[in-house]
């Protein structure tokens, strides 16, 4: 990951996933720690992310406590394409 290719943004954690620019994302840490369940009891939960504007398939949640980034893959809801 080359730093110059990435922008910084703020994404919202929702019960459906990490939402950024109309796309939902998930990652192993969010699932393991139950982010999508916990957010139901928290009013506003946002995370800082790094992303490549030319490729929005993966964004990276910035974890300042662990000094790392967590790759998060797109989980865009595909149910609208079922039976097509």
């Amino acid at each position: 990951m080359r730093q110059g290719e990435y922008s910084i943004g703020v994404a919202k954690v929702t019960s459906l996933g990490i939402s950024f620019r109309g796309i939902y994302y998930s990652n192993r840490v969010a699932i393991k720690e139950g982010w999508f369940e916990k957010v139901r009891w928290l009013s506003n939960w946002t995370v800082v992310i790094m992303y490549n504007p030319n490729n929005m398939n993966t964004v990276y949640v910035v974890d300042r406590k662990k000094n790392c980034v967590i790759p998060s893959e797109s989980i865009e809801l595909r149910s609208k394409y079922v039976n097509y």
Side-chain angles (χ1 to χ4, degrees):
M1 173 183 341
R2 291 187 293 213
Q3 189 172 356
E5 297 176 357
Y6 289 83
S7 298
I8 302 293
V10 177
K12 184 176 181 180
V13 179
T14 74
S15 61
L16 296 175
I18 301 164
S19 176
F20 184 68
R21 294 192 176 179
I23 303 171
Y24 288 92
Y25 299 87
S26 183
N27 63 57
R28 59 182 168 68
V29 174
I31 293 168
K32 182 178 177 183
E33 294 180 359
W35 291 11
F36 310 132
E37 291 79 22
K38 289 178 185 176
V39 75
R40 293 180 180 145
W41 293 278
L42 302 172
S43 58
N44 282 327
W45 186 351
T46 59
V47 290
V48 175
I49 61 165
M50 294 174 57
Y51 65 97
N52 180 338
N54 298 315
N55 182 355
M56 298 295 287
N57 293 328
T58 303
V59 299
Y60 300 86
V61 174
V62 177
D63 186 333
R64 293 181 183 172
K65 291 180 183 177
K66 297 178 183 173
N67 197 29
C68 67
V69 293
I70 305 165
S72 303
E73 301 294 325
S74 169
I75 57 165
E76 190 61 35
L77 304 176
R78 299 170 196 263
S79 60
K80 62 184 175 185
Y81 299 111
V82 173
N83 296 326
Y84 286 103

